Amino acid sequence: MVLSLHERQRQNCFLHLRSLLEPLMTDAEAFFIQVGGIKTVRVLSCCPEAAPMIRRQLAWSLTEPVPNPDATLVLWREKVDASFHQRVLGIGVEDDGSGDNLILALREGDGIQPFGEVSYENHTANLTDGDCSFYCVESFAAEEWIKEGHLFVHWLYRLADTPTSHLVHGACIGLDGKGILLCARGQRGKSTLAVTAMLRGFEYVSDDYLILEKSAEALAASPIYSIITLSPRMYTALYDDLDKARFVCNNARKDKYVFDISGYGSALRRAYPVRLCIFPEIEPSLTQAVIEPCSAVQKGRAITHLVHSTVLQMQAQGDAGTVRKLIAMLQDLPFYSMRLCPDIYANVETLREFLLSCR
Protein backbone atom coordinates (compact mmCIF):
# COMPACT_ATOMS: atom_id res chain seq x y z
CA MET A 1 0.00 0.00 0.00
CA VAL A 2 1.21 3.54 -0.79
CA LEU A 3 0.31 6.50 1.40
CA SER A 4 0.92 9.72 -0.54
CA LEU A 5 1.21 12.76 1.73
CA HIS A 6 1.42 16.49 1.12
CA GLU A 7 4.54 18.34 2.34
CA ARG A 8 2.85 19.55 5.53
CA GLN A 9 1.79 16.00 6.39
CA ARG A 10 5.32 14.74 5.76
CA GLN A 11 6.77 17.42 8.04
CA ASN A 12 4.29 16.57 10.79
CA CYS A 13 5.23 12.91 10.44
CA PHE A 14 8.87 13.66 11.28
CA LEU A 15 7.97 16.10 14.05
CA HIS A 16 5.90 13.36 15.67
CA LEU A 17 8.70 10.81 15.24
CA ARG A 18 11.41 13.09 16.62
CA SER A 19 9.30 13.92 19.69
CA LEU A 20 8.96 10.21 20.46
CA LEU A 21 12.67 9.54 19.93
CA GLU A 22 14.05 12.56 21.77
CA PRO A 23 14.11 10.86 25.21
CA LEU A 24 15.83 7.81 23.72
CA MET A 25 18.47 9.82 21.86
CA THR A 26 19.81 11.40 25.06
CA ASP A 27 21.89 8.31 25.86
CA ALA A 28 22.22 6.97 22.31
CA GLU A 29 25.54 5.32 21.48
CA ALA A 30 27.23 6.96 18.50
CA PHE A 31 29.17 5.17 15.77
CA PHE A 32 30.85 6.83 12.80
CA ILE A 33 31.05 5.05 9.45
CA GLN A 34 33.13 5.89 6.42
CA VAL A 35 31.21 5.08 3.23
CA GLY A 36 34.08 4.40 0.85
CA GLY A 37 35.99 7.63 0.39
CA ILE A 38 32.74 9.49 -0.16
CA LYS A 39 30.88 10.31 3.04
CA THR A 40 31.16 10.06 6.82
CA VAL A 41 28.01 9.00 8.63
CA ARG A 42 26.98 9.14 12.27
CA VAL A 43 24.88 6.22 13.54
CA LEU A 44 22.93 6.89 16.73
CA SER A 45 21.88 3.62 18.34
CA CYS A 46 19.12 4.06 20.92
CA CYS A 47 19.43 0.41 21.97
CA PRO A 48 22.64 -0.85 23.61
CA GLU A 49 22.02 -4.40 22.35
CA ALA A 50 22.48 -3.19 18.77
CA ALA A 51 26.11 -2.16 19.29
CA PRO A 52 27.72 -5.63 19.00
CA MET A 53 25.99 -6.36 15.69
CA ILE A 54 26.98 -2.99 14.24
CA ARG A 55 30.61 -3.52 15.21
CA ARG A 56 30.68 -7.09 13.84
CA GLN A 57 29.16 -6.21 10.50
CA LEU A 58 30.72 -2.81 9.89
CA ALA A 59 34.12 -3.10 11.60
CA TRP A 60 35.91 -2.20 8.36
CA SER A 61 33.79 0.93 7.89
CA LEU A 62 34.01 2.30 11.44
CA THR A 63 35.96 5.54 11.70
CA GLU A 64 36.83 8.30 14.17
CA PRO A 65 34.15 10.87 15.14
CA VAL A 66 33.92 14.00 13.03
CA PRO A 67 32.18 17.26 14.01
CA ASN A 68 30.09 17.60 10.83
CA PRO A 69 29.13 14.21 9.38
CA ASP A 70 27.51 14.09 5.95
CA ALA A 71 24.50 12.14 7.21
CA THR A 72 22.93 10.67 10.35
CA LEU A 73 21.12 7.40 10.94
CA VAL A 74 18.99 6.95 14.06
CA LEU A 75 18.33 3.35 15.06
CA TRP A 76 15.68 2.29 17.57
CA ARG A 77 13.40 -0.62 18.49
CA GLU A 78 9.64 -0.51 18.17
CA LYS A 79 6.81 -2.88 17.39
CA VAL A 80 6.21 -2.75 13.63
CA ASP A 81 2.59 -3.56 12.89
CA ALA A 82 -0.37 -2.14 10.98
CA SER A 83 -0.74 0.68 13.52
CA PHE A 84 2.89 1.84 13.21
CA HIS A 85 2.19 4.80 10.93
CA GLN A 86 -0.57 6.08 13.21
CA ARG A 87 1.05 5.30 16.56
CA VAL A 88 4.65 6.28 15.78
CA LEU A 89 4.37 8.71 12.87
CA GLY A 90 1.05 10.35 13.70
CA ILE A 91 -0.37 9.70 10.23
CA GLY A 92 -4.12 9.40 10.62
CA VAL A 93 -4.80 7.35 7.49
CA GLU A 94 -6.14 3.82 7.71
CA ASP A 95 -3.97 1.01 6.36
CA ASP A 96 -6.20 -1.46 4.56
CA GLY A 97 -3.75 -4.31 5.20
CA SER A 98 -3.52 -5.13 1.50
CA GLY A 99 0.21 -5.88 1.41
CA ASP A 100 3.41 -6.72 3.28
CA ASN A 101 4.82 -3.21 2.86
CA LEU A 102 3.58 0.31 3.39
CA ILE A 103 5.30 2.93 1.23
CA LEU A 104 5.23 6.55 2.41
CA ALA A 105 5.56 9.07 -0.40
CA LEU A 106 5.52 12.83 -0.83
CA ARG A 107 2.87 14.03 -3.27
CA GLU A 108 4.30 16.66 -5.62
CA GLY A 109 1.96 17.79 -8.38
CA ASP A 110 1.08 14.73 -10.44
CA GLY A 111 3.96 12.63 -9.09
CA ILE A 112 5.03 11.05 -5.81
CA GLN A 113 8.50 10.67 -4.27
CA PRO A 114 8.97 7.83 -1.74
CA PHE A 115 10.62 8.79 1.57
CA GLY A 116 9.84 5.83 3.81
CA GLU A 117 8.84 2.19 4.02
CA VAL A 118 7.21 0.08 6.73
CA SER A 119 7.74 -3.66 6.21
CA TYR A 120 5.30 -5.83 8.12
CA GLU A 121 6.98 -8.91 6.69
CA ASN A 122 10.48 -8.06 7.98
CA HIS A 123 9.23 -6.03 10.99
CA THR A 124 11.34 -3.01 10.06
CA ALA A 125 10.72 0.60 9.09
CA ASN A 126 13.02 3.15 7.47
CA LEU A 127 12.38 6.80 6.67
CA THR A 128 14.57 9.58 5.30
CA ASP A 129 14.28 13.30 6.07
CA GLY A 130 16.99 15.20 4.22
CA ASP A 131 20.38 14.02 5.47
CA CYS A 132 18.85 12.24 8.49
CA SER A 133 17.42 8.73 8.30
CA PHE A 134 15.49 6.67 10.83
CA TYR A 135 15.70 2.89 10.99
CA CYS A 136 13.40 0.88 13.25
CA VAL A 137 13.49 -2.84 14.01
CA GLU A 138 11.14 -4.89 16.12
CA SER A 139 13.74 -7.40 17.33
CA PHE A 140 17.51 -7.28 17.81
CA ALA A 141 17.81 -11.06 17.64
CA ALA A 142 20.55 -11.41 15.02
CA GLU A 143 18.61 -13.76 12.73
CA GLU A 144 15.64 -11.37 12.71
CA TRP A 145 17.53 -8.10 12.43
CA ILE A 146 19.66 -9.12 9.46
CA LYS A 147 17.07 -10.99 7.43
CA GLU A 148 18.39 -9.27 4.32
CA GLY A 149 21.94 -10.33 5.21
CA HIS A 150 23.66 -6.95 5.59
CA LEU A 151 22.77 -4.05 7.87
CA PHE A 152 21.48 -0.81 6.35
CA VAL A 153 22.49 -1.86 2.83
CA HIS A 154 19.70 0.02 1.03
CA TRP A 155 20.44 3.17 3.01
CA LEU A 156 24.19 2.90 2.29
CA TYR A 157 23.34 2.36 -1.37
CA ARG A 158 21.58 5.73 -1.49
CA LEU A 159 24.50 7.46 0.27
CA ALA A 160 27.05 6.01 -2.13
CA ASP A 161 25.11 7.13 -5.19
CA THR A 162 27.07 10.13 -6.50
CA PRO A 163 28.06 11.10 -10.06
CA THR A 164 31.36 9.23 -9.65
CA SER A 165 30.54 6.44 -7.17
CA HIS A 166 28.10 3.61 -6.59
CA LEU A 167 27.49 0.63 -4.32
CA VAL A 168 27.44 -2.60 -6.33
CA HIS A 169 26.67 -6.25 -5.72
CA GLY A 170 29.96 -7.86 -6.68
CA ALA A 171 33.29 -9.10 -5.33
CA CYS A 172 36.83 -7.76 -5.50
CA ILE A 173 40.18 -9.43 -4.79
CA GLY A 174 43.66 -9.17 -6.28
CA LEU A 175 47.43 -9.51 -6.00
CA ASP A 176 50.16 -6.87 -5.84
CA GLY A 177 47.69 -4.04 -6.34
CA LYS A 178 46.07 -5.61 -9.40
CA GLY A 179 42.40 -5.71 -8.47
CA ILE A 180 39.85 -8.02 -10.07
CA LEU A 181 36.15 -7.21 -10.05
CA LEU A 182 34.11 -10.43 -10.13
CA CYS A 183 30.89 -9.78 -12.05
CA ALA A 184 28.12 -12.34 -11.67
CA ARG A 185 24.73 -12.92 -10.17
CA GLY A 186 24.30 -15.14 -7.11
CA GLN A 187 25.19 -18.83 -7.24
CA ARG A 188 27.86 -18.31 -9.92
CA GLY A 189 30.83 -18.91 -7.63
CA LYS A 190 32.09 -15.34 -7.12
CA SER A 191 31.76 -15.29 -3.30
CA THR A 192 33.36 -18.71 -2.90
CA LEU A 193 36.25 -17.70 -5.17
CA ALA A 194 36.76 -14.38 -3.37
CA VAL A 195 36.72 -15.84 0.15
CA THR A 196 38.91 -18.82 -0.76
CA ALA A 197 41.40 -16.49 -2.46
CA MET A 198 41.56 -14.26 0.64
CA LEU A 199 42.24 -17.29 2.81
CA ARG A 200 45.06 -18.25 0.46
CA GLY A 201 46.91 -14.93 0.54
CA PHE A 202 45.11 -12.67 -1.94
CA GLU A 203 44.37 -9.03 -1.23
CA TYR A 204 40.69 -8.56 -0.43
CA VAL A 205 37.96 -5.93 -0.66
CA SER A 206 34.66 -7.81 -0.53
CA ASP A 207 32.84 -10.96 -1.56
CA ASP A 208 29.38 -9.39 -1.81
CA TYR A 209 28.88 -5.60 -1.57
CA LEU A 210 31.45 -2.91 -2.30
CA ILE A 211 31.71 0.71 -3.41
CA LEU A 212 33.15 1.65 -6.79
CA GLU A 213 34.63 5.12 -7.28
CA LYS A 214 35.59 6.34 -10.75
CA SER A 215 38.24 8.99 -11.32
CA ALA A 216 39.98 10.18 -14.45
CA GLU A 217 42.88 7.86 -13.63
CA ALA A 218 41.26 4.63 -12.45
CA LEU A 219 38.36 2.69 -11.02
CA ALA A 220 38.78 1.90 -7.30
CA ALA A 221 36.92 -0.48 -4.99
CA SER A 222 36.38 -0.03 -1.24
CA PRO A 223 34.85 -2.35 1.38
CA ILE A 224 31.77 -1.80 3.51
CA TYR A 225 31.13 -4.96 5.52
CA SER A 226 33.41 -7.18 7.58
CA ILE A 227 31.23 -10.28 7.26
CA ILE A 228 30.82 -13.19 4.87
CA THR A 229 27.97 -15.66 4.47
CA LEU A 230 28.72 -19.31 3.75
CA SER A 231 26.51 -22.26 2.97
CA PRO A 232 27.00 -25.25 5.31
CA ARG A 233 28.75 -27.07 2.46
CA MET A 234 31.23 -24.24 1.86
CA TYR A 235 31.78 -23.80 5.59
CA THR A 236 32.79 -27.46 5.79
CA ALA A 237 35.11 -27.12 2.78
CA LEU A 238 36.85 -24.03 4.21
CA TYR A 239 36.80 -25.08 7.85
CA ASP A 240 40.56 -25.58 8.28
CA ASP A 241 41.33 -22.10 6.89
CA LEU A 242 38.71 -20.17 8.89
CA ASP A 243 40.78 -19.92 12.08
CA LYS A 244 40.33 -16.12 12.34
CA ALA A 245 36.60 -16.05 11.51
CA ARG A 246 33.98 -15.77 14.25
CA PHE A 247 30.44 -17.09 13.93
CA VAL A 248 27.77 -14.37 14.14
CA CYS A 249 24.47 -16.11 13.40
CA ASN A 250 22.41 -18.06 10.91
CA ASN A 251 20.61 -16.09 8.28
CA ALA A 252 16.82 -15.90 8.53
CA ARG A 253 16.28 -18.83 6.14
CA LYS A 254 18.85 -20.85 8.11
CA ASP A 255 20.54 -21.98 4.88
CA LYS A 256 23.73 -19.91 5.43
CA TYR A 257 26.09 -18.99 8.26
CA VAL A 258 27.23 -15.42 8.86
CA PHE A 259 30.85 -14.90 10.00
CA ASP A 260 32.78 -11.87 11.25
CA ILE A 261 36.06 -11.85 9.30
CA SER A 262 37.55 -8.65 10.74
CA GLY A 263 40.40 -10.85 12.00
CA TYR A 264 41.66 -10.96 8.42
CA GLY A 265 42.28 -7.21 8.34
CA SER A 266 45.85 -7.67 7.05
CA ALA A 267 44.38 -8.79 3.70
CA LEU A 268 41.97 -5.85 3.46
CA ARG A 269 42.48 -3.11 0.88
CA ARG A 270 40.70 0.24 0.53
CA ALA A 271 40.51 2.38 -2.62
CA TYR A 272 41.90 -0.68 -4.37
CA PRO A 273 42.62 -0.16 -8.09
CA VAL A 274 40.48 -2.39 -10.32
CA ARG A 275 42.52 -3.45 -13.33
CA LEU A 276 40.22 -6.02 -14.94
CA CYS A 277 36.91 -7.84 -14.61
CA ILE A 278 36.29 -11.59 -14.49
CA PHE A 279 33.01 -13.30 -15.32
CA PRO A 280 32.96 -16.62 -13.38
CA GLU A 281 30.77 -19.58 -14.27
CA ILE A 282 30.79 -23.04 -12.70
CA GLU A 283 31.40 -26.03 -14.97
CA PRO A 284 31.23 -29.24 -12.91
CA SER A 285 32.78 -31.32 -15.69
CA LEU A 286 36.10 -29.42 -15.66
CA THR A 287 39.16 -30.75 -13.85
CA GLN A 288 41.01 -27.42 -14.12
CA ALA A 289 39.76 -23.83 -14.21
CA VAL A 290 40.12 -21.97 -17.50
CA ILE A 291 40.57 -18.18 -17.93
CA GLU A 292 40.12 -16.64 -21.38
CA PRO A 293 39.46 -13.16 -22.80
CA CYS A 294 35.76 -12.42 -23.10
CA SER A 295 34.12 -12.09 -26.47
CA ALA A 296 31.98 -9.00 -27.00
CA VAL A 297 28.91 -11.07 -26.16
CA GLN A 298 30.47 -12.47 -22.98
CA LYS A 299 31.54 -8.99 -21.89
CA GLY A 300 27.98 -7.79 -22.36
CA ARG A 301 26.71 -10.71 -20.28
CA ALA A 302 29.22 -9.96 -17.51
CA ILE A 303 28.25 -6.29 -17.29
CA THR A 304 24.57 -7.23 -17.43
CA HIS A 305 25.03 -9.66 -14.55
CA LEU A 306 26.63 -7.06 -12.29
CA VAL A 307 24.16 -4.32 -13.21
CA HIS A 308 21.10 -6.55 -12.94
CA SER A 309 22.23 -8.08 -9.64
CA THR A 310 22.89 -4.62 -8.20
CA VAL A 311 19.56 -3.06 -9.17
CA LEU A 312 17.68 -6.20 -8.12
CA GLN A 313 19.33 -6.38 -4.69
CA MET A 314 18.83 -2.65 -4.15
CA GLN A 315 15.25 -2.66 -5.50
CA ALA A 316 16.25 -0.05 -8.08
CA GLN A 317 14.57 -1.62 -11.10
CA GLY A 318 13.76 0.97 -13.73
CA ASP A 319 16.57 3.30 -12.63
CA ALA A 320 18.08 4.05 -16.04
CA GLY A 321 20.63 6.45 -14.55
CA THR A 322 22.18 3.70 -12.44
CA VAL A 323 22.39 1.37 -15.42
CA ARG A 324 24.12 4.00 -17.58
CA LYS A 325 26.56 4.93 -14.79
CA LEU A 326 27.63 1.36 -14.06
CA ILE A 327 28.11 0.56 -17.73
CA ALA A 328 30.27 3.68 -18.12
CA MET A 329 32.37 2.67 -15.11
CA LEU A 330 33.10 -0.82 -16.48
CA GLN A 331 33.09 -0.70 -20.25
CA ASP A 332 36.74 0.32 -20.76
CA LEU A 333 38.18 -2.44 -18.56
CA PRO A 334 39.47 -5.74 -19.99
CA PHE A 335 37.09 -8.64 -19.35
CA TYR A 336 37.90 -12.32 -18.94
CA SER A 337 35.72 -15.37 -18.51
CA MET A 338 36.68 -17.90 -15.85
CA ARG A 339 35.19 -21.36 -15.99
CA LEU A 340 35.43 -22.76 -12.49
CA CYS A 341 36.06 -26.41 -11.70
CA PRO A 342 34.67 -28.15 -8.58
CA ASP A 343 38.05 -27.85 -6.76
CA ILE A 344 37.81 -24.44 -5.07
CA TYR A 345 41.51 -24.34 -4.17
CA ALA A 346 42.58 -25.27 -7.70
CA ASN A 347 40.49 -22.33 -8.95
CA VAL A 348 42.44 -19.97 -6.71
CA GLU A 349 45.79 -21.27 -7.95
CA THR A 350 44.70 -20.86 -11.58
CA LEU A 351 43.72 -17.28 -10.79
CA ARG A 352 47.06 -16.67 -9.04
CA GLU A 353 49.02 -17.92 -12.06
CA PHE A 354 46.93 -15.78 -14.38
CA LEU A 355 47.47 -12.60 -12.33
CA LEU A 356 51.19 -13.20 -11.96
CA SER A 357 51.43 -13.52 -15.75
CA CYS A 358 49.63 -10.20 -16.30
CA ARG A 359 51.85 -7.15 -16.76
Side-chain angles (χ1 to χ4, degrees):
M1 179 180 176
V2 177
L3 292 182
S4 57
L5 310 177
H6 291 298
E7 175 59 25
R8 174 57 62 184
Q9 292 173 301
R10 189 196 70 84
Q11 291 176 7
N12 289 338
C13 161
F14 284 108
L15 286 173
H16 195 276
L17 176 59
R18 289 175 188 275
S19 68
L20 289 176
L21 291 181
E22 189 173 354
L24 299 177
M25 291 173 63
T26 303
D27 298 319
E29 185 168 359
F31 299 87
F32 286 79
I33 299 170
Q34 186 70 38
V35 182
I38 310 163
K39 294 176 181 175
T40 302
V41 179
R42 178 180 60 165
V43 179
L44 290 178
S45 172
C46 299
C47 299
E49 57 265 48
M53 187 60 65
I54 294 172
R55 292 189 179 281
R56 288 166 190 159
Q57 281 222 28
L58 293 165
W60 285 342
S61 293
L62 295 176
T63 189
E64 294 298 316
V66 297
N68 297 301
D70 299 294
T72 296
L73 175 68
V74 180
L75 171 68
W76 87 103
R77 184 173 60 188
E78 180 78 33
K79 185 173 181 61
V80 180
D81 57 16
S83 69
F84 181 90
H85 64 287
Q86 295 177 316
R87 178 170 41 86
V88 177
L89 306 178
I91 301 173
V93 180
E94 290 295 334
D95 177 2
D96 64 8
S98 60
D100 293 326
N101 298 300
L102 175 66
I103 304 298
L104 301 174
L106 174 64
R107 190 184 309 150
E108 293 181 317
D110 295 331
I112 60 173
Q113 180 65 43
F115 67 86
E117 179 181 10
V118 181
S119 173
Y120 307 138
E121 181 182 20
N122 292 327
H123 307 290
T124 62
N126 61 85
L127 304 95
T128 299
D129 183 22
D131 61 2
C132 187
S133 296
F134 301 87
Y135 193 94
C136 171
V137 296
E138 186 168 311
S139 170
F140 281 113
E143 290 85 355
E144 290 298 316
W145 192 19
I146 59 172
K147 278 187 176 180
E148 311 230 344
H150 294 72
L151 296 179
F152 319 135
V153 66
H154 292 92
W155 177 69
L156 292 168
Y157 172 80
R158 292 193 295 271
L159 285 176
D161 183 7
T162 77
T164 58
S165 64
H166 214 83
L167 184 152
V168 301
H169 186 230
C172 185
I173 51 175
L175 283 175
D176 300 326
K178 290 183 285 190
I180 305 167
L181 183 65
L182 300 176
C183 305
R185 299 190 187 101
Q187 309 303 314
R188 298 298 178 110
K190 72 178 186 305
S191 291
T192 298
L193 180 61
V195 172
T196 309
M198 179 196 70
L199 296 173
R200 288 300 172 96
F202 276 61
E203 294 153 357
Y204 177 86
V205 176
S206 174
D207 79 309
D208 207 359
Y209 293 108
L210 54 93
I211 293 174
L212 291 179
E213 297 175 67
K214 179 77 170 179
S215 67
E217 296 78 27
L219 181 68
S222 292
I224 306 170
Y225 296 99
S226 52
I227 60 166
I228 57 172
T229 56
L230 298 174
S231 68
R233 183 176 67 84
M234 289 313 306
Y235 170 63
T236 300
L238 296 172
Y239 180 84
D240 289 336
D241 284 330
L242 288 169
D243 56 313
K244 297 177 184 176
R246 300 181 67 183
F247 178 77
V248 175
C249 64
N250 292 300
N251 68 344
R253 296 185 301 274
K254 300 192 183 300
D255 60 352
K256 288 189 176 180
Y257 305 140
V258 181
F259 291 92
D260 172 1
I261 59 164
S262 56
Y264 293 92
S266 61
L268 183 70
R269 297 295 183 271
R270 294 181 170 86
Y272 193 55
V274 177
R275 303 301 188 199
L276 56 95
C277 297
I278 283 183
F279 182 42
E281 294 187 278
I282 301 169
E283 288 196 20
S285 61
L286 289 180
T287 57
Q288 182 70 35
V290 178
I291 301 176
E292 298 173 324
C294 278
S295 66
V297 172
Q298 287 174 317
K299 178 176 178 177
R301 285 184 64 207
I303 294 175
T304 299
H305 269 234
L306 183 136
V307 172
H308 179 261
S309 185
T310 297
V311 300
L312 190 65
Q313 292 283 336
M314 298 300 108
Q315 301 172 11
Q317 296 93 321
D319 184 351
T322 287
V323 174
R324 287 193 295 268
K325 181 166 62 173
L326 292 179
I327 292 173
M329 281 183 167
L330 302 176
Q331 63 185 359
D332 294 333
L333 290 171
F335 274 73
Y336 295 83
S337 70
M338 183 173 185
R339 290 179 285 153
L340 303 168
C341 71
D343 187 335
I344 59 175
Y345 291 107
N347 292 331
V348 169
E349 294 313 308
T350 298
L351 185 59
R352 189 192 306 275
E353 292 172 9
F354 169 74
L355 278 178
L356 291 175
S357 69
C358 292
R359 294 186 178 179

